[in-house]
Amino acid sequence: MNIKEAEVAKKVRAKVYPGSPYPLGATWDGKGVNFALYAENATGVELCLFNHQNDEAEAIRVPVTERSAQVWHVYIPDAKPGQLYGYRVHGPYDPSNGHRFNPAKLLIDPYAKAIAGKIEWSDALFGYETGNEAEDLSMSETDSAPFLPKCVVINPEFDWEGDRAPKIPYHSTIIYEAHVRGFTKMNSEIPEEIRGTYAAIGHPVTIGYLQELGVTAIELMPVHHFIADRHLVEKGLTNYWGYNTIGFFAPEVRYSGSGVLGEQVNEFKQMVKDLHKAGIEVILDVVYNHTAEGNQMGPTLSFRGVDNASYYRLAEDKRFYFDYTGTGNTLNANLPNVLRLMMDSLRYWVLEMHVDGFRFDLASTLARELHEVNKLSAFFDIIHQDPVISQVKLIAEPWDVGEGGYQVGKFPPGWAEWNGKYRDCIRDYWRGADSMLGEFAQRFTGSSDLYEGDYRSPTASINFITAHDGFTLNDLVSYNDKHNDANGEDNNDGESHNRSWNCGAEGDTEDEAVNALRQRQKRNFLTTLFLSQGVPMLLSGDEISRTQQGNNNAYCQDNEISWTNWEHADKDLLQFTQGLIQMRKDHPVFCRRRWFQGQPIKGIGLEDIAWFLPDGSEMSDEHWNNDFAKTLAVFLNGRGIHTPGPKGEQIVDDSFYVIFNAHHEPVEYKLPSAKYGKEWIQVLNTADGKIGRDSKHAPEETIKVESRSIMLLQHKIAYDNAGKNK
């Protein structure tokens, strides 16, 4: 510390105000900064102020003497945005009783709005002496400040220029799951210095691509500040996906192209503003079920040192943690202060960062009251009554690794869910596995067996074939087995039962027949996805045949295994996908707001939906239970849409006849009688990849549907803008 800095330190110590317990975190009011920290079991708190990002010791250590209930607080006049800080918290170091206070450890503020950099792994980051026979029962006195990134006081002001949320209804939503870094890192059309950053996602090249593709929302994999696990870093790998949060208010610093001292906040806001201008929503994948501090042998970075017992779910022996997440710990969503942190974080990202929704990782964990999953838990009660959070998109990953954690279809109204049963069923159908046509029909029509009984709609189902976790679409049709050797775990990590089929050869091949079949299968999966009722989610890069070379668990691969290779983009598949998405957007019959009734429509005499066999007859109950059947057709009645449009108008669409053939041989199909349509026009065929008006067909005409393909036929219904038939 130089003479000038010493003088400043002296003045700060002499001029400290009591401050306020609200709001939590560091808040600049234009005249100074209020610091507030929840630490119920602490006996003392020290605020540490740093002058520079890489300082190994604080310039000033301010004792926080004011305590209101469980919150410690202090106000520093003249402190400004950009001020670096952390905490040291005093209290008993008694792991057996759940307490792990250690003032030798600098701590990240749980409410930090920005964090200046990444941790540098060192034994000093652990609250115990590594290598000691007593393990975590020992206590380390080594200062961790040189290795921990500092928190940053931010200036919340930003010119949103009248930004307004697109507020796209669920039935019109098409989600695109993407990784901030991986999606843009290899895009040569984006300036090199910003590739892999928030700025690159908001760049006109990226936005133009998303608009041309036709998606309405980008779902970003975790952007909360996270930690790269020590064991990965020491192997030359990293935590690429980011499901290892340490800062629930701070944008991940790795994705900032403009700076780490608060600039990352404005860069994120600019990205959101630019996407909103293009009519694209921003959904965040969030991880409120655990933190990056791991189990009892993990580091002391924030929550553990601030007040371990007030943040985590501890076992009967309070030295240990309940682990419903497979990461070593579980945040205790039953505690008021933890619920408050989660709700404050969600509200912050909506109100201050303008995001449009959240996808909750391992959401079943948040619903556990004691051990059992309970959809009426406090977490859901609070969200349901919150006037801010309840109005954005809420999407659950409805499972965790604990007993009874698979909760697909069991989340409360107002929530949508990743439909894992949809993924599994559609994969099984197209790979030719024995499966019931009845389940396929349920999944295609919105999974009413899962969602209808609780007054939910088809849009509760987030339909997907692939996601970040598992094979890409290209690899799903190219590999029978996972190939995860690059992860350094002897190929033992990742799911072994992928419901994939390599079409006759494992991995890359020069066999033209195999490659042609793979392309057809990709088109089959995409067509099924975008014609299904519910909300489709497309994994980024699937539309251009992105491959991970058979790696189905690329969580640690921040390299070309995970990055989208734009140079090798499959432009034919991209064009096909664009056409599919446009067709879905043009025809409300594919994105209904309410369930099919299967009953004759008054004045028409036809059902809103009907299922047919190849001979043109309607399917009966016995046909649904055949596990060997591989083909069926469905009639979607354009006059059978029971919901009005946004202005109360009647919605009438064309009718469609969809023929699915997962059999390895062609099937001849007799079209239904004239009452279903007097003329049918082929508008899509996955056998050749054509989208657009093609051949015309008469009622009861027999047509050939190629092996492993989908044919889509359209019956034009003339109607005016009011929806009345002409």
Side-chain angles (χ1 to χ4, degrees), residues 52-73:
H52 306 291
Q53 177 186 349
N54 298 319
D55 284 353
E56 295 191 356
E58 54 267 43
I60 309 169
R61 189 180 294 195
V62 180
V64 182
T65 58
E66 292 291 331
R67 176 173 180 169
S68 299
Q70 298 91 2
V71 179
W72 301 73
H73 49 91

Side-chain angles (χ1 to χ4, degrees), residues 378-615:
F379 177 81
F380 296 108
D381 288 343
I382 292 175
I383 282 183
H384 183 72
Q385 60 80 41
D386 190 282
V388 174
I389 305 170
S390 65
Q391 299 307 303
V392 301
K393 288 183 169 67
L394 301 171
I395 301 169
E397 181 186 33
W399 49 78
D400 64 19
V401 301
E403 182 179 353
Y406 194 76
Q407 295 288 312
V408 173
K410 297 181 181 179
F411 276 68
W415 284 75
E417 302 175 21
W418 273 26
N419 191 343
K421 291 188 176 182
Y422 178 94
R423 171 200 60 205
D424 295 346
C425 175
I426 304 305
R427 287 187 179 192
D428 280 346
Y429 178 75
W430 284 114
R431 73 188 176 103
D434 291 340
S435 56
M436 302 296 184
L437 287 181
E439 185 183 6
F440 178 86
Q442 288 276 20
R443 304 297 159 245
F444 181 72
T445 56
S447 296
S448 61
D449 59 323
L450 299 177
Y451 305 113
E452 186 175 17
D454 206 6
Y455 301 100
R456 300 165 78 185
S457 71
T459 56
S461 178
I462 304 296
N463 299 328
F464 65 105
I465 306 297
T466 58
H468 67 273
D469 187 2
F471 282 144
T472 65
L473 180 61
N474 181 84
D475 293 357
L476 186 68
V477 301
S478 303
Y479 295 90
N480 286 345
D481 303 305
K482 62 184 180 181
H483 296 266
N484 298 353
D485 300 280
N487 296 354
E489 300 180 41
D490 298 323
N491 205 36
N492 290 318
D493 62 303
E495 175 62 56
S496 296
H497 183 48
N498 293 282
R499 292 181 162 89
S500 62
W501 178 48
N502 65 16
C503 298
E506 187 74 358
D508 291 341
T509 179
E510 295 182 1
D511 188 313
E512 293 183 2
V514 170
N515 286 330
L517 178 55
R518 288 175 177 175
Q519 289 298 101
R520 183 182 297 187
Q521 287 286 77
K522 283 184 261 187
R523 293 193 291 265
N524 288 334
F525 279 119
L526 289 168
T527 301
T528 306
L529 176 65
F530 286 109
L531 298 188
S532 294
Q533 303 299 322
V535 179
M537 184 184 79
L538 179 67
L539 174 63
S540 68
D542 274 357
E543 74 281 7
I544 58 173
S545 296
R546 181 174 74 88
T547 179
Q548 292 179 171
Q549 305 302 321
N551 191 322
N552 75 348
N553 190 36
Y555 74 101
C556 56
Q557 302 294 335
D558 186 8
N559 51 47
E560 294 187 10
I561 291 176
S562 298
W563 300 342
T564 302
N565 190 325
W566 295 97
E567 184 179 347
H568 296 151
D570 183 341
K571 295 182 179 179
D572 290 336
L573 188 62
L574 173 60
Q575 185 175 12
F576 180 84
T577 308
Q578 290 170 330
L580 259 180
I581 292 175
Q582 190 59 51
M583 182 173 292
R584 179 181 178 89
K585 286 182 165 183
D586 289 344
H587 294 286
V589 75
F590 298 124
C591 40
R592 298 165 56 99
R593 290 196 289 125
R594 294 182 185 168
W595 301 104
F596 288 107
Q597 300 300 311
Q599 302 292 327
I601 300 165
K602 186 177 180 180
I604 300 176
L606 290 176
E607 304 93 336
D608 52 7
I609 187 170
W611 302 88
F612 292 87
L613 296 168
D615 63 5

Side-chain angles (χ1 to χ4, degrees), residues 287-291 313 322-327 329-334 339 342 360-374 377 379-380 396-407 411:
V287 191
Y288 291 105
N289 50 71
H290 73 279
T291 77
R313 300 191 70 153
F322 277 117
D323 182 12
Y324 295 114
T325 63
T327 64
N329 67 57
T330 302
L331 279 171
N332 194 344
N334 295 320
L339 281 170
M342 293 176 179
F360 292 80
D361 179 65
L362 302 181
S364 295
T365 301
L366 302 172
R368 291 185 181 272
E369 288 284 12
L370 293 175
H371 300 294
E372 294 183 357
V373 177
N374 179 7
S377 72
F379 177 81
F380 296 108
E397 181 186 33
W399 49 78
D400 64 19
V401 301
E403 182 179 353
Y406 194 76
Q407 295 288 312
F411 276 68

